[in-house]
Amino acid sequence: MERRDFIKTGLISAAAPTLILADVETIKRSRNPMALSTWNHGLKANEEAMKLLLSQGNALDAVEAGVKISEADPTIQSVGLGGRPDKDGHVTLDACIMDSQGNAGSVAYLQDIKHPVSVARKVMELTDHVMLVGQGAKSFAITHGFKEENLLTEESRTAWLKWKKKLGKKDDLGPNDDHDTISLLAQDSIGNLAGACTTSGLAYKIPGRVGDSPIIGAGLFVDNEIGAAGATGRGEEVIKVAGSFLIVELMRQGYAPQDACKEALGRTIGRHDGELAFQIAYIALRKDGEIGAAAIRKGFKYALSSGNKNKLHSVKGIIN
Ligand code: GLY
C-alpha cells in the first residue's frame, strides 16, 4: 500500500465513520494561516503567532513565539513566569513542541527558566533526544544561553502561603482549579502544521510531579498529513488515554475534529463513575483547516485566529 493510500484509509477504516480526508493532495494545497489555542490568554498568543504566519513565517516559529507571550506574562498563573508553585514553593515548568516533520522536543520539571518552550525547541533541534528533565534540562538551557531567573512572583507566593496555611495533614494536592495550560496549534501559508504546549502544571503539586504537557502524544501531537491536537486540564487523565495522539488518529480514521475531541474525552469519562471532579479540554486542527474543541466541564474557552479575526469561543461542557 502506498503511504498516500495508507494515510487516507488508516488501518481500521472499515469500522470508522465516513472518511472526510478525501484527497490528501487537495489538503496539502491549503493556504489559510491560522492559530488555535486554549483559554483566554490564547488570544494574545494567537496574535503573536499570526504576526509571523501572515508574513509568510513558518508554523513552528509561530507556535513558539505565541506561547512565549503566555510564558512571559506574570499575571498568568498557570504558565511560565508567575506560575503557581509546587507544594514546596518551587515553580516547575513542563513544555513541548512539535514540527511538521514529526520532530519533537520537550522539557519537564524545569526550574528558573522562563521559556521552557524554547528550551524544548533546542532539545528538538540540537540533540538526538526528545525529552530532558529537571537539573539536566536546566543545565542544558543555561549552556545554550538561557538566563536563570526567579519565576515565583509575589502574587503566586502569597497565594501559595495562604494555601499552605489551610493544608490539612493528609492533603497531597492543591485545589481542583483549572490550570489553564496553553496549547497552541498553527498552520502556515504553505499548509504546514506545528504545535506547542507549556504549563506550570497543577498548583501545589507533589514535588517532582509531571503532567501531560511535555508528553508527546498526551499534551500535544502533530501529524502534518492529518492534523494536530493539544490538551489542557488534568494531565494525569490525559496521559492515561494518550489524548492528543488519540485525537489525531481518530481524525485519520475520518472523525471530524470536534467528534475526535469528544471521543477522546469520552474515554476518560468512561473510566470514572459518577461526577468527575476535574477538567480536561482538547483542541484539534485538521489539515484542511476544520477545527474542533471539547471539554468535560463548562468554563473552557479557546481562541481561534484566521485572517484578521481573533476570537474567543466558549465551549459547553460534556458533563456540565
Ligand atoms: N495539563 C497540565 C498539567 O496537568 O500539568
Side-chain angles (χ1 to χ4, degrees):
M1 187 186 272
E2 296 281 325
R3 172 164 165 74
R4 185 167 172 247
D5 295 336
F6 176 75
I7 289 161
K8 284 200 295 185
T9 59
L11 270 177
I12 52 171
S13 59
T18 317
L19 197 63
I20 292 163
L21 301 188
D23 186 342
V24 172
E25 291 308 320
T26 307
I27 289 163
K28 275 182 178 163
R29 287 198 297 272
S30 173
R31 296 281 189 278
N32 184 25
M34 56 197 292
L36 171 66
S37 61
T38 52
W39 301 111
N40 302 30
H41 51 109
L43 279 176
K44 281 188 182 164
N46 282 3
E47 199 180 306
E48 192 67 17
M50 287 303 285
K51 278 185 204 161
L52 287 169
L53 294 171
L54 292 173
S55 53
Q56 313 304 311
N58 69 55
L60 183 66
D61 288 340
V63 294
E64 181 189 5
V67 300
K68 279 176 78 175
I69 297 294
S70 301
E71 287 180 342
D73 186 339
T75 66
I76 300 167
Q77 291 180 291
S78 51
V79 182
L81 174 68
R84 292 191 193 89
D86 68 11
K87 194 177 175 181
D88 292 346
H90 300 121
V91 180
T92 72
L93 305 178
D94 301 334
C96 74
I97 192 160
M98 229 179 145
D99 71 10
S100 61
Q101 306 298 305
N103 297 310
S106 113
V107 290
Y109 196 61
L110 177 64
Q111 294 181 50
D112 308 321
I113 305 288
K114 189 165 64 187
H115 289 303
V117 72
S118 299
V119 185
R121 183 167 178 179
K122 291 267 186 251
V123 174
M124 176 174 84
E125 291 179 339
L126 303 180
T127 80
D128 59 359
H129 305 323
V130 169
M131 188 171 199
L132 295 179
V133 307
Q135 187 54 47
K138 183 172 167 181
S139 302
F140 173 83
I142 288 166
T143 302
H144 290 285
F146 290 84
K147 205 174 85 203
E148 202 173 344
E149 58 192 294
N150 175 27
L151 303 179
L152 186 63
T153 55
E154 205 40 52
E155 201 185 353
S156 287
R157 188 173 166 275
T158 305
W160 165 65
L161 288 173
K162 204 167 151 193
W163 168 82
K164 248 172 59 129
K165 263 194 187 162
K166 284 194 196 149
L167 183 68
K169 277 196 178 110
K170 285 185 187 160
D171 291 345
D172 276 334
L173 295 176
N176 263 329
D177 55 355
D178 299 339
H179 42 103
D180 303 13
T181 297
I182 185 159
S183 282
L184 196 164
L185 314 173
Q187 184 167 47
D188 61 29
S189 57
I190 57 168
N192 281 333
L193 298 169
C197 180
T198 178
T199 190
S200 52
L202 190 60
Y204 320 135
K205 58 200 173 186
I206 297 172
R209 181 262 186 192
V210 168
D212 61 311
S213 302
I215 311 290
I216 300 300
L220 178 76
F221 196 71
V222 177
D223 181 326
N224 204 45
E225 302 283 0
I226 303 298
T232 180
R234 185 58 67 103
E236 285 76 4
E237 298 296 330
V238 175
I239 292 170
K240 286 173 196 166
V241 298
S244 294
F245 180 74
L246 174 60
I247 289 166
V248 173
E249 288 308 301
L250 289 169
M251 291 195 288
R252 189 193 307 279
Q253 290 170 29
Y255 279 72
Q258 183 72 16
D259 294 339
C261 291
K262 283 187 175 165
E263 172 65 21
L265 291 175
R267 302 277 174 103
T268 298
I269 293 166
R271 296 186 60 255
H272 293 267
D273 287 334
E275 180 87 354
L276 277 80
F278 56 83
Q279 172 70 301
I280 297 178
Y282 291 114
I283 53 171
L285 169 59
R286 200 172 59 187
K287 185 77 175 177
D288 64 354
E290 184 167 325
I291 68 130
I296 290 182
R297 308 176 74 90
K298 66 182 176 198
F300 175 63
K301 291 180 178 150
Y302 67 89
L304 175 63
S305 183
S306 177
N308 54 10
K309 286 193 191 132
N310 189 20
K311 278 194 180 159
L312 204 57
H313 301 259
S314 288
V315 172
K316 214 171 142 210
I318 289 179
I319 283 183
N320 61 22

